[in-house]
């Protein structure tokens, strides 16, 4: 560890392996006990598997314990999984949940401190310090992004600009006038900002902005390349989910090769999503996390649905906490087109490779007689737009070929005029699923 990387707040990132293991074992034992004693749901699920907190002696024993899934949170809506009385709960958040009730998560004062600690360490990992001006353009509210990033930036001692999402022209004015050096938002919203700045005659590369902390949705390496070039910044990937705490579960470091998981707080496992058996390091599977310090709402072996792999090689940044590879998709994101498994991220890669810039796109799924069909809608830029049918046809063909090259089947592509796909200030809606309409 070099003197420049040492920071007392980030110290757990550099713990010797054995020390980290000791800490994880002790915290795991505590949290299993807390869950079992305070939450009837966990008592029942542990009992049904024939395990008690005493069954846990070393870290490998965690595999004996039952998983928790999103439905368990829905079924116990709103407060059924809380391990603390409301008098101890100081904050509630809720995740959007596209269907039915949202899921609700709770924090004690201590939980908020732990979350802030994870976010401060995340920002340090992205090269931020108290000398930065950080604009938070994640939405503030029930969504964990805004307040989570806000607490981290404040804890770091940076100058925080709580812009929240939306009002893009004003966001750009603030970036410019305040000399903002770091921005936290969804990657898709940042792409929109680049686009709007262009319309305002502002070249993002000329601004002091140097760091982007982007997460809450998947984004491809091609997209990173695009935003880094177009805005003259270094773009870091940050991962989190409400069920576990919010943003700050894992984050990239200066090496930008996978995200370090704050393992002293969130214990990761990777399992095969079908067999639920652990997979070897390096093999992709579903990320399962146990919260080691969450008092108000412990999550035991929570199945995130996010697909990734554990990277065990030593990172050259010096951190000893393990990394997970970039999360390119969720296990429930996948759709099957003519027998081929397709992920939205593959379409994004194809569009970026052909368009050389991130054109706005949407994937529209329909179903005829139990067969899934996919149509990719891609928006033309004003420069590409033409009245000539033959020109549009040629562009359509090029994109269709680029997609075919990646997914191995011909895709129906439709080019749309500029500004016809709605922009999001939060998570982008890339897939319009009409299969059950
Ligand atoms: P909601 O269910 O409302 O979307 P969250 O904001 O908690 O609630 O969303 C968490 C999910 O967002 C994760 O499970 C993951 O699928 C996705 N996500 C968050 N950060 C990233 C990231 N950096 N890369 C890919 N996906 C991410
Ligand atoms: Zn690293």
């Amino acid at each position: 560890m070099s003197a420049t990387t040492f920071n007392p707040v980030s110290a757990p990132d550099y713990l010797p392996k054995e020390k980290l293991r000791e800490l994880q074992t002790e915290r795991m034992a505590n949290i299993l006990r807390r869950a079992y004693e305070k939450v009837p749901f966990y008592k029942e699920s542990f009992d049904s598997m024939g395990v008690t907190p005493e069954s846990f002696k070393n870290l490998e024993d965690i595999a004996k314990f039952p998983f928790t899934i999103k439905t368990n949170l829905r079924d116990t809506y709103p407060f059924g999984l809380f391990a603390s009385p409301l008098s101890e709960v100081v904050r509630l958040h809720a995740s959007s949940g596209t269907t039915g009730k949202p899921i609700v998560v709770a924090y004690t004062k201590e939980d908020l401190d732990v979350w802030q600690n994870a976010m401060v360490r995340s920002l340090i990992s992205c090269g931020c310090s108290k000398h930065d001006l950080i604009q938070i353009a994640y939405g503030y509210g029930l969504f964990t992004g805004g307040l989570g990033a806000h607490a981290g930036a404040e804890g770091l001692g940076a100058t925080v600009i709580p812009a929240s999402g939306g009002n893009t022209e004003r966001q750009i004015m603030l970036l410019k006038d305040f000399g903002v050096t770091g921005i936290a938002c969804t990657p898709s919203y940042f792409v929109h900002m680049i686009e709007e700045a262009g319309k305002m005659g502002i070249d993002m590369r000329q601004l002091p902005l140097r760091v982007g902390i982007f997460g809450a949705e998947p984004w491809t390496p091609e997209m990173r390349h695009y935003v880094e070039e177009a805005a003259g910044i270094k773009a870091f990937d940050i991962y989190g989910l409400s069920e576990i705490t919010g943003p700050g579960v894992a984050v990239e470091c200066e090496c930008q090769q996978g995200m370090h998981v704050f393992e002293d707080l969130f214990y990761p496992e990777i399992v095969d999503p079908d067999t639920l058996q652990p997979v070897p390091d390096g093999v992709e599977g579903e990320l399962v996390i146990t919260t080691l310090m969450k008092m108000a709402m412990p999550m035991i072996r929570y199945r995130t649905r996010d697909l990734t792999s554990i990277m065990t090689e030593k990172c050259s940044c010096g951190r000893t906490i393990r990394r997970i590879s970039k999360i390119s998709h969720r296990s429930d994101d996948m759709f099957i087109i003519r027998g081929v498994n397709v992920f939205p991220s593959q379409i994004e890669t194809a569009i970026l490779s052909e368009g050389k810039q991130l054109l706005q796109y949407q994937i529209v799924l329909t179903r005829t007689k139990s067969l899934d069909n996919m149509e990719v809608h891609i928006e033309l830029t004003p420069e590409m737009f033409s009245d000539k049918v033959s020109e549009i046809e040629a562009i359509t063909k090029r994109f269709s070929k680029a997609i075919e090259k990646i997914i191995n089947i011909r895709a129906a592509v439709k080019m749309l005029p500029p500004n016809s796909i709605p922009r999001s200030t939060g998570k982008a809606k890339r897939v319009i699923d009409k299969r059950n309409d």
Side-chain angles (χ1 to χ4, degrees), residues 315-333:
C315 185
S316 32
C317 75
R319 285 178 179 75
T320 51
I321 47 175
R322 288 175 294 171
R323 284 169 295 163
I324 50 172
S325 57
K326 197 165 180 56
I327 292 167
S328 60
H329 42 247
R330 296 171 60 92
S331 58
D332 43 9
D333 249 6

Side-chain angles (χ1 to χ4, degrees), residues 58-80:
N58 62 57
L59 275 180
E60 285 64 39
D61 292 333
I62 190 62
K64 301 178 189 158
F65 287 80
F67 293 102
T68 308
I69 55 173
K70 200 165 199 145
T71 323
N72 301 140
L73 281 98
R74 290 230 168 85
D75 294 347
T76 50
Y77 174 88
F79 303 156

